[in-house]
């Protein structure tokens, strides 16, 4: 069994999702997929994580971030529509906007939801299995046990990278590039034969 991580450029638009599907379908051992938030589609484009942090900064200064957030929401809605998916994400996007005054913002969640629906794989939220200690380090034993109880044996799974939960249940994120850590944790937890990192 192989765990595969795809970076932000691989999540940038519907065309990239199709390329990811082709890569996965070329090797049936690629069954667990870790994804990043949508990255740049072209050189002057914006990574969605950067836009989310920009929204957060606006809110800290009492400035309306609606125009920026609309760019984020529309990107994910466009990907969904271009792939022909019947997946209602508008309400969850609206909830994200309400929570954006927290630094625990995560575009990876929507990338994973869309990719799971597109592939027909199981969606496994990183918040349900990546367990942090109070000092911000990963509790590997609890995390490994939690992931093994979440992943359905014999089915494909898509997992958002970059975040997990603190002991009090709040969301905590890794530093930038944390999806790679999520991928490595998943590979270790599931005793994968191979961990592949497709860097955009």
């Amino acid at each position: 069994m192989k765990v595969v991580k795809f970076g932000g450029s691989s999540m940038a638009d519907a065309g990239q999702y199709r390329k990811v599907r082709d890569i996965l379908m070329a090797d049936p051992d690629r069954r667990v997929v870790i994804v990043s938030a949508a990255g740049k589609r072209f050189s002057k484009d914006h990574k969605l994580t950067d836009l989310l942090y920009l929204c957060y900064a606006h809110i800290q200064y009492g400035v309306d971030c609606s125009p920026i957030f609309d760019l984020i929401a529309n990107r994910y809605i466009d990907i969904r529509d271009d792939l022909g998916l019947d997946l209602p994400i508008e309400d969850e996007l609206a909830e994200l906007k309400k929570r954006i005054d927290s630094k625990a913002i995560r575009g990876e969640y929507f990338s994973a939801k869309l990719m799971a629906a597109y592939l027909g794989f199981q969606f496994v939220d990183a918040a349900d299995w990546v367990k942090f200690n109070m000092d911000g380090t990963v509790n590997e034993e609890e995390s490994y046990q939690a992931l093994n109880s979440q992943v359905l044996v014999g089915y494909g799974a898509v997992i958002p990278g970059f975040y997990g939960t603190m002991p009090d249940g709040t969301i905590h994120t890794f530093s930038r590039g944390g999806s790679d850590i999520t991928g490595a944790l998943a590979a270790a937890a599931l005793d994968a034969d191979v961990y592949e990192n497709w860097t955009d």
Side-chain angles (χ1 to χ4, degrees), residues 5 14 19 55 58 95 129 137 148 154 169:
K5 178 258 178 180
K19 290 179 183 178
C55 268
H58 275 59
E95 284 300 312
W129 71 272
T137 59
N148 276 282

Side-chain angles (χ1 to χ4, degrees), residues 3-7 11 32-36 129 157-162 179-180 182-184 186 195:
V3 173
V4 191
K5 178 258 178 180
F6 290 94
M11 299 289 105
V32 177
V33 185
I34 313 298
V35 297
S36 298
W129 71 272
V158 182
I159 301 170
F162 190 57
S179 293
D180 291 322
T182 308
Y195 171 53

Side-chain angles (χ1 to χ4, degrees), residues 13-61:
D13 58 28
Q16 293 297 94
Y17 275 58
R18 294 185 181 99
K19 290 179 183 178
V20 168
R21 179 194 58 191
D22 292 344
I23 290 168
L24 295 172
M25 295 302 105
D27 185 346
D29 289 336
R30 293 174 176 144
R31 302 302 295 166
V32 177
V33 185
I34 313 298
V35 297
S36 298
K40 293 183 178 183
R41 295 162 292 184
F42 43 86
S43 61
K44 293 187 177 180
D45 198 14
H46 300 284
K47 296 179 179 180
L48 290 199
T49 297
D50 293 339
L51 292 178
L52 284 163
Y53 279 116
L54 185 58
C55 268
Y56 173 79
H58 275 59
I59 289 170
Q60 298 311 296
Y61 287 97

Side-chain angles (χ1 to χ4, degrees), residues 37-178:
K40 293 183 178 183
R41 295 162 292 184
F42 43 86
S43 61
K44 293 187 177 180
D45 198 14
H46 300 284
K47 296 179 179 180
L48 290 199
T49 297
D50 293 339
L51 292 178
L52 284 163
Y53 279 116
L54 185 58
C55 268
Y56 173 79
H58 275 59
I59 289 170
Q60 298 311 296
Y61 287 97
V63 179
D64 181 26
C65 77
S66 292
I68 299 168
F69 190 83
D70 287 346
L71 294 173
I72 298 164
N74 289 337
R75 175 90 75 88
Y76 281 119
I77 290 169
D78 286 347
I79 291 171
R80 178 199 64 188
D81 293 346
D82 287 351
L83 294 174
L85 299 175
D86 183 19
L87 184 68
I89 57 174
E90 286 83 356
D91 288 348
E92 286 190 287
L93 285 165
E95 284 300 312
L96 173 62
K97 187 176 181 182
K98 292 177 184 176
R99 298 194 311 270
I100 216 163
D101 58 345
S102 163
K103 282 189 176 179
I105 47 184
R106 46 204 167 116
E108 294 78 8
Y109 174 88
F110 291 98
S111 291
K113 289 276 281 196
L114 290 169
M115 184 59 76
Y118 183 50
L119 296 171
F121 280 14
Q122 175 193 9
F123 169 74
V124 179
D125 194 352
D128 294 333
W129 71 272
V130 178
K131 306 295 183 181
F132 288 97
N133 298 307
M134 285 306 298
D135 64 359
T137 59
V138 175
N139 185 322
E140 292 184 1
E141 182 178 355
E142 284 191 18
S143 298
Y144 292 0
Q145 290 176 354
L147 182 59
N148 276 282
S149 70
Q150 291 282 324
V151 171
L152 300 174
V153 176
Y155 292 86
V158 182
I159 301 170
F162 190 57
Y163 65 89
T165 52
M166 297 292 283
D168 63 1
T170 58
I171 296 296
H172 182 69
T173 59
F174 293 109
S175 59
R176 297 299 287 268

